[in-house]
Amino acid sequence: MRILVRWFRASVLYNAGYVRHGEHHLTDADGYDVFDIERHRAYSEWQEAIQLYEKVLCSLGEGDLRQKAVRELVQLYENTGAYEKAEETVNSVPPLSASREILSLNCYDGKARAEEYEQVLGKVVSLAADLLVWAVMANRNHYSAEKSAARIQNAIQLFDIVEDKSP
């Protein structure tokens, strides 16, 4: 029970930092968007959340709570400039090929398997499209308008490629 209380408190503190202070960005010398880590490090809510999440992850088994804790802790590490800790935490989780969605393809046979492939394909395409858009946003000062437009068009075309247009 104590672990759940810590997890819940950490999650509330994570969100409280955003609500009370916001997420702030700067532009680095190369024109890329970076977090204002000095400002973020001063958020007492985020510092306490980091400490709680680090304790919780030592005891929390696999599952949705652990995944949410990892997601939020990695974001806090990024916001506060603890990139090595973020990478270490990320490396503790399974790769994309071991995700629930990909592994679910092994849970069915016949028609159900074919339907699952369609479902997972839709999720993967949606994620790939999101990544294309996020890359445009992350490189907005470095991509030409034409390249940005082409990337966004590619994201849209991903859905066209997998859309079932048969009668």
Side-chain angles (χ1 to χ4, degrees), residues 82-142:
Y83 303 111
E84 287 181 15
K85 286 184 175 183
E87 187 174 5
E88 182 181 310
T89 304
V90 165
N91 287 333
S92 73
V93 299
L96 183 61
S97 61
S99 70
R100 177 184 2 216
E101 289 77 11
I102 298 299
L103 293 175
S104 74
L105 298 172
N106 299 316
C107 298
Y108 305 96
D109 207 1
K111 182 178 179 183
R113 183 175 189 201
E115 290 171 349
E116 187 68 12
Y117 267 93
E118 292 296 326
Q119 291 294 317
V120 172
L121 180 60
K123 291 176 184 178
V124 170
V125 165
S126 181
L127 178 59
D130 285 345
L131 288 170
L132 282 166
V133 172
W134 296 336
V136 168
M137 292 170 24
N139 289 288
R140 69 179 177 274
N141 295 329
H142 302 282

